[in-house]
């Protein structure tokens, strides 16, 4: 496979003639480049008017490779043939080089050019590209490729330093200006006629001497070249190989993509997301560009107007920047009624709003890059979890969150520079276990999580935010205008007809199971737990009637009885089974979310039974006759939709470990959770609506 490398355009802020004088000082030897052992001229010729000078050199380079590889190859140095075509009239130098050593096994081809800057004739541009084709090399093909990449990277960096060194040397010696070439009087016409006949092989077939040199762009967004100063100023430090990947992917888009070419910052994010694997980054970027076109995302900031309800109850907003100049976004998730928002505006509106936040984030990064004069390509999110509880485990809300995470990761990679999570409550590990598998490792490494008041003082927010920026609700000095949220009134919910049009009811019904509960016939679900410290989560809505919810544990697998009754009539509470979750009375119209960290293996029974009116006696073990009577009775029945899930012990422990690795500030929370689960079963339920 042929490997291709492309360097950005280097700009020397000196005239072409002076740069050429510095370039010639590199020959025949160059102490500043240790691997360059020397050179000798093979052929040299001039055009009749002296405008074109062609030199062919043999250059010896030391092999910078392990001794074993040099011994197997049988060489201590390699020979390259370099052919330079210097055109003083056009002010261009074209360099073509290829290897002679091992030419049948390895083909190295390099092209370089020095040209006048298109916008400033007193500046000079340098461009370099190379290709490597390793056909066979004694079984060391991969090793040779790595050595070649390392060598090329070093040479690109060193080459500019050497030219600048000789430029400074010339200036220190009093040579700061060299006159431009001018033709001798009376000979210009003859020279023009002779150039086409003279040494037909001395001019690059793809670039006649009469053609103007290339016009690289300094802050290019339309061409296929990038200026090195622009890269440093707007994109940040990149290795030569990373620069090459950026230029290649950009050039490929210009040749194949129909439509708006994304900015270099955008392309670079996809390369970083795929560790600069060119093919993978290209596939990811192409899918994203197609998605943006289908969803008309490029017009989102001009067309999206969030509903007034979102502006009032969506607890997120922009707030200055962090100490590194990244735009700061604050999200008070614990205060947000995610279920209410989804029922009031729908999942699609929430997704569009999240996309608009990401689009705005990219726009702010560009603004801060110009404001601070350094590249800023990502933003910081401050996530306040005070108020987070079981309500946020509502399954459609969790599914919507996972969908948004997937969309953002696929289309806005490497836009999150840091996530500061503060006031994480004890329920957070359960939510983290649900969502962390869907967050890629590179993103998780940017999370810093604090429980309680650990965000205060040294090691907390002051390490990432100026004191003047820390919001007032976290004890800072800055007044924060992010909405405080609160419960969305049910009167603002979408009607069932509107939800059906949005396909929400179908999606939610696929998540839940329905159950009807007659009086005296409880509905029970068995969950088998093979090892302790697993997590049982539940989420149910009471559609009709009042229900009592309980959780029991038994060591024996129950046999199904009438209806969904699993607890045998002969069982004795405290001997055959035990109650691990206190009975919870749930009223009609309420939504309940909860979780339980198990202490023992065995079978856990989730039980729903009709709530007995005051004065009557409720019994968890109705007789068979009672059940049969209830089944055939035309009396009222309770109805509910429920969902339950088990987070395996291995997953839960793994998520706890990953939380602890995010920051030491989370250790108190994780220790408390672990202690509660080992000393006793930790459980909680919350009635959210």
């Amino acid at each position: 496979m042929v490997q291709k490398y492309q360097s950005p355009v280097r700009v020397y802020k000196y005239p072409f003639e002076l740069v050429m004088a510095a370039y010639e000082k590199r020959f025949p030897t160059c102490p500043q480049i240790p691997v360059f052992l020397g050179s000798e001229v093979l052929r040299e010729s001039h055009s009749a008017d002296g405008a074109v000078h062609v030199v062919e050199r043999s250059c010896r380079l030391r092999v910078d490779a392990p001794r074993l590889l040099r011994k197997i190859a049988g060489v201590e140095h390699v020979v390259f043939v370099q052919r330079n075509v210097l055109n003083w009239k056009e002010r261009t130098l074209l360099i073509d080089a290829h290897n002679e050593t091992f030419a049948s096994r390895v083909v190295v081809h390099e092209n370089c050019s020095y040209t006048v800057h298109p916008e400033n004739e007193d500046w000079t541009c340098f461009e370099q590209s190379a290709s490597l084709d390793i056909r066979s090399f004694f079984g060391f093909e991969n090793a040779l490729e790595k050595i070649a990449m390392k060598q090329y990277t070093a040479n690109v960096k060193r080459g500019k330093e050497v030219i600048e060194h000789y430029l400074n040397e010339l200036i220190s010696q009093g040579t700061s200006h060299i006159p431009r070439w001018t033709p001798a009087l009376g000979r210009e016409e003859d020279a023009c006629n002779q150039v086409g006949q003279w040494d037909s092989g001395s001019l690059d077939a793809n670039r006649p001497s009469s053609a103007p040199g290339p016009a690289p762009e300094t802050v290019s967004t339309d061409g296929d070249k990038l200026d090195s100063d622009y890269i440093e100023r707007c994109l940040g430090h990149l290795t030569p190989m990373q620069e090459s990947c950026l230029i290649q992917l950009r050039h490929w888009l210009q040749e194949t993509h129909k439509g708006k070419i994304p900015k270099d910052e955008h392309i670079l994010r996809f390369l970083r997301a795929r560790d600069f694997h060119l093919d993978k980054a290209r596939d990811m970027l192409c899918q994203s560009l197609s998605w943006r076109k289908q969803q008309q995302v490029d017009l989102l900031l001009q067309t999206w107007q969030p509903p007034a309800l979102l502006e009032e109850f969506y607890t997120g907003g922009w707030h200055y920047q962090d100490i590194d100049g990244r735009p700061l976004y604050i999200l008070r998730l614990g205060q947000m009624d995610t279920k209410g928002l989804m029922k009031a505006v729908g999942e699609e509106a929430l997704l569009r709003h999240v996309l608009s936040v990401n689009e705005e984030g990219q726009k702010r990064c560009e603004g801060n890059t110009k404001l601070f004069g350094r590249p800023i390509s990502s933003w910081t999110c401050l996530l306040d979890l005070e108020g987070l509880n079981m309500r946020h485990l509502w399954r459609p809300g969790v599914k919507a969150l996972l969908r948004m995470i997937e969309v953002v990761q696929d289309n806005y990679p490497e836009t999150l520079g840091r996530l500061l999570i503060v006031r994480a409550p004890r329920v957070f590990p359960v939510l983290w276990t649900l969502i962390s598998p869907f967050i890629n490792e590179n993103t998780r490494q940017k999370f810093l999580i604090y429980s309680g008041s650990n965000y205060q003082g040294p090691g907390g927010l002051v390490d990432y935010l100026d004191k003047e920026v820390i919001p007032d609700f976290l004890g800072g000095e800055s007044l924060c205008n992010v909405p405080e949220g609160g419960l969305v009134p049910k009167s603002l919910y979408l009607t069932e007809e509107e939800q059906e049009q949005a396909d929400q009811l179908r999606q939610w019904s696929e998540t839940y199971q329905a159950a009807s509960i007659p009086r005296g016939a409880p509905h029970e679900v068995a969950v088998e737990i093979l090892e302790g410290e697993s997590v049982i989560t539940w989420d149910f809505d009471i559609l009709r009637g009042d229900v009592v919810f309980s959780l029991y544990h038994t060591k024996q697998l129950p046999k199904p009885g009438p209806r969904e009754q699993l607890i045998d009539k002969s069982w004795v509470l405290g001997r055959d089974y035990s109650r691990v979750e206190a009975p919870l009375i749930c009223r009609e119209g309420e939504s309940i979310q909860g979780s339980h960290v198990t202490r023992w293996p065995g079978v856990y029974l989730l039980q729903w039974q009709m709530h007995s009116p005051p004065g009557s006696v409720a019994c968890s073990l109705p007789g068979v006759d009672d059940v049969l009577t209830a089944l055939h009775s035309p009396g009222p029945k309770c109805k509910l939709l429920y969902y339950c899930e088990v987070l395996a012990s291995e997953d839960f422990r793994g998520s706890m470990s990953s939380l602890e690795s995010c920051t030491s500030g989370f250790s108190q929370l994780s220790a408390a959770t672990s202690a509660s689960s080992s000393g006793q079963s930790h459980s909680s339920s919350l009635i959210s609506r």
Side-chain angles (χ1 to χ4, degrees):
M1 180 180 176
V2 179
Q3 295 287 342
K4 296 182 178 180
Y5 312 105
Q6 176 74 53
S7 300
V9 177
R10 311 285 178 183
V11 177
Y12 300 100
K13 297 182 179 181
Y14 297 95
F16 176 80
E17 290 72 20
L18 191 62
V19 173
M20 289 299 98
Y23 176 78
E24 286 299 323
K25 281 181 165 287
R26 295 177 49 174
F27 303 101
T29 60
C30 184
Q32 283 74 25
I33 306 180
V35 297
F36 184 62
L37 301 178
S39 64
E40 60 178 301
V41 176
L42 301 178
R43 282 176 290 277
E44 185 172 8
S45 57
H46 295 266
S47 64
D49 63 350
V52 180
H53 180 201
V54 178
V55 180
E56 193 168 311
R57 293 185 178 92
S58 175
C59 304
R60 291 178 294 112
L61 301 178
R62 180 170 57 84
V63 178
D64 189 10
R67 184 173 179 275
L68 175 61
L69 187 57
R70 296 201 306 269
K71 186 174 181 181
I72 292 175
V75 296
E76 291 296 328
H77 70 268
V78 294
V79 176
F80 275 74
V81 174
Q82 183 192 76
R83 186 167 174 276
N84 292 1
V85 179
L86 173 59
N87 190 321
W88 291 109
K89 181 180 179 181
E90 302 293 344
R91 303 179 78 195
T92 63
L93 171 62
L94 308 178
I95 305 169
D96 182 274
H98 65 274
N99 63 305
E100 277 197 344
T101 308
F102 300 119
S104 62
R105 295 178 177 273
V106 181
V107 178
V108 180
H109 195 194
E110 184 178 48
N111 293 101
C112 306
S113 66
Y114 287 87
T115 59
V116 177
H117 193 285
E119 298 177 2
N120 190 330
E121 62 179 14
D122 290 327
W123 290 359
T124 304
C125 297
F126 172 71
E127 186 178 2
Q128 182 178 19
S129 63
S131 64
L132 171 66
D133 184 8
I134 303 177
R135 296 167 182 172
S136 66
F137 201 78
F138 314 107
F140 288 90
E141 291 79 11
N142 290 336
L144 182 62
E145 182 179 343
K146 292 179 180 178
I147 293 171
M149 291 173 63
K150 179 181 177 182
Q151 194 67 54
Y152 177 79
T153 299
N155 288 346
V156 168
K157 181 180 180 182
R158 192 66 179 148
K160 184 178 182 182
E161 295 173 352
V162 170
I163 293 295
E164 290 175 340
H165 167 78
Y166 285 124
L167 282 167
N168 292 330
E169 184 178 280
L170 285 169
I171 294 171
S172 67
Q173 294 171 353
T175 304
S176 58
H177 175 73
I178 296 177
R180 295 185 187 179
W181 177 87
T182 55
L185 291 176
R187 300 177 57 187
E188 183 175 3
E189 183 177 348
D190 293 338
C192 291
N193 293 331
Q194 294 176 22
V195 164
Q197 304 168 2
W198 162 82
D199 194 4
S200 61
S202 66
L203 298 179
D204 192 311
N206 295 322
R207 195 187 301 274
S209 63
S210 60
E217 300 173 17
T218 29
V219 189
S220 167
T221 55
D222 299 319
D224 62 349
K225 302 171 185 177
L226 298 175
D227 172 67
S228 58
D229 292 338
Y230 158 69
I231 289 178
E232 289 290 338
R233 186 176 67 256
C234 298
L235 304 181
H237 173 71
L238 299 174
T239 67
M241 295 311 302
Q242 291 172 341
E243 292 172 347
S244 176
C245 288
L246 173 59
I247 293 171
Q248 288 184 67
L249 183 51
R250 192 172 185 274
H251 185 62
W252 180 85
L253 284 170
Q254 289 168 337
E255 291 182 338
T256 62
H257 180 63
K258 296 180 181 179
K260 182 180 178 182
I261 302 297
K263 296 181 180 179
D264 298 321
E265 300 93 319
H266 195 70
I267 298 174
L268 192 57
R269 289 185 178 107
F270 286 83
L271 283 166
R272 284 176 171 146
R274 291 297 178 261
D275 297 322
F276 286 89
H277 190 293
L278 198 57
D279 291 338
K280 293 181 179 178
R282 182 172 58 213
D283 291 344
M284 184 183 185
L285 179 56
C286 286
Q287 292 177 17
S288 179
L289 290 175
S290 177
W291 170 84
R292 291 182 69 88
K293 183 177 180 180
Q294 293 173 1
Q295 302 296 324
Q296 298 184 325
V297 178
D298 289 336
L299 302 174
L300 189 61
L301 290 181
Q302 291 77 37
T303 59
W304 171 250
Q305 179 60 45
L309 191 145
L310 264 183
E311 293 183 332
E312 180 179 357
F313 291 97
Y314 189 88
T315 55
W318 295 99
H319 184 77
Y320 303 107
Q321 54 268 331
D322 68 5
I323 59 172
D324 296 319
R326 294 189 184 101
L328 176 63
Y329 189 81
I330 294 179
L331 182 62
R332 304 185 68 179
L333 183 61
Q335 304 300 316
M336 189 186 301
D337 181 10
T338 53
K339 180 176 181 179
L341 284 175
M342 283 187 63
K343 288 199 169 188
V345 300
E347 181 179 333
E348 290 305 315
L350 271 177
L351 176 60
R352 299 296 285 183
H353 190 64
V354 170
L355 296 181
S356 72
V357 170
N358 281 271
E359 290 291 309
E360 177 68 21
Q362 292 185 144
K363 183 178 178 182
R364 286 174 177 262
C365 287
E366 294 175 13
N368 283 17
T369 295
K370 296 177 182 178
L371 177 64
F372 297 109
R374 61 179 186 274
I376 296 172
S377 61
S378 59
W379 42 284
T380 292
C381 180
L382 174 58
L383 184 63
D384 179 22
L385 295 184
E386 185 184 54
L388 189 80
N389 51 46
M390 292 299 166
R391 179 181 76 249
H392 293 88
L393 295 182
W394 181 58
R395 277 311 175 274
V398 173
K399 284 190 173 184
L401 175 61
L402 294 179
R403 179 192 174 198
M404 293 174 190
I405 289 174
E406 181 181 17
V407 170
V408 170
Q409 287 189 152
D410 288 347
N411 299 285
Y412 300 92
E414 299 300 315
T415 53
L416 180 65
R418 184 180 292 123
L419 179 64
L420 303 171
I421 302 178
V422 298
R423 302 199 283 193
R426 292 175 64 179
V427 71
F428 179 63
V430 178
L431 182 61
W432 177 256
T433 306
L434 289 170
I435 66 172
S436 60
F438 299 90
I439 302 175
N440 65 52
E441 182 60 31
N442 288 342
T443 302
R444 285 205 299 267
Q445 291 176 356
K446 301 172 184 178
F447 287 19
L448 293 160
I449 306 175
Y450 301 92
S451 65
S453 59
N454 288 333
Y455 64 90
Q456 300 175 343
L461 293 183
V462 291
D463 287 5
Y464 308 101
L465 305 177
D466 289 330
K467 291 182 179 179
E468 297 78 15
V469 172
I470 297 177
D472 50 356
F473 63 84
L474 292 177
E477 303 173 3
S478 179
L479 179 64
C480 184
N481 294 322
V482 173
E484 296 183 0
L487 294 178
V488 178
K490 286 188 176 183
S491 59
L492 299 179
Y493 284 6
L494 297 173
T495 64
E496 287 194 5
E497 182 179 352
E498 291 172 325
Q499 293 183 35
E500 285 179 357
Q501 291 178 353
D503 203 29
Q504 286 191 171
L505 290 180
R506 182 190 61 80
Q507 295 176 19
W508 295 351
S509 63
E510 290 177 353
T511 301
Y512 294 88
Q513 297 185 57
S516 295
I517 308 172
R519 187 178 305 280
H523 182 83
E524 295 168 346
V525 175
V527 177
E528 187 174 9
I529 300 297
L530 300 179
E531 56 180 333
E533 291 192 22
S534 297
V535 181
I536 304 172
T537 67
W538 53 83
D539 174 15
F540 57 91
D541 290 347
I542 309 300
L543 304 181
R544 186 202 303 173
D546 298 338
V547 172
V548 178
F549 172 72
S550 302
L551 181 66
Y552 299 96
H553 170 263
T554 179
K555 296 180 179 179
Q556 52 188 317
L557 190 64
K559 298 178 181 179
R563 260 313 244 194
E564 297 296 333
Q565 184 182 356
L566 299 174
I567 299 179
D568 191 272
K569 181 182 178 181
S570 61
W571 286 6
V572 176
L573 185 63
R575 183 192 70 186
D576 301 296
Y577 68 108
S578 58
R579 178 183 283 118
V580 294
E581 177 84 6
L584 179 68
I585 299 176
C586 312
R587 304 295 181 182
E588 181 177 317
E590 291 180 340
S591 179
I592 293 87
Q593 294 80 38
S595 68
H596 177 86
V597 181
T598 64
R599 178 181 177 185
W600 314 280
V603 178
Y604 287 78
L605 300 170
L606 289 78
Q607 183 192 78
W608 295 268
Q609 63 176 334
M610 182 178 290
H611 176 55
S612 301
S616 62
V617 180
C619 178
S620 63
L621 296 177
V624 174
D625 293 339
D626 296 330
V627 173
L628 293 175
T629 301
L631 291 175
H632 294 89
S633 171
K637 297 180 180 180
C638 294
K639 288 188 176 181
L640 62 90
L641 293 174
Y642 70 91
Y643 173 88
C644 62
E645 181 180 359
V646 176
L647 308 179
S649 174
E650 179 181 355
D651 296 335
F652 183 61
R653 290 173 179 170
S655 70
M656 293 295 293
S657 298
S658 69
L659 281 175
E660 291 175 9
S661 68
C662 289
T663 175
S664 59
F666 193 77
S667 59
Q668 294 182 4
L669 172 58
S670 59
T673 304
S674 299
S676 71
S677 62
S678 59
Q680 62 177 354
S681 296
H682 171 61
S683 60
S684 60
S685 286
L686 181 79
I687 301 174
S688 60
R689 303 294 289 177

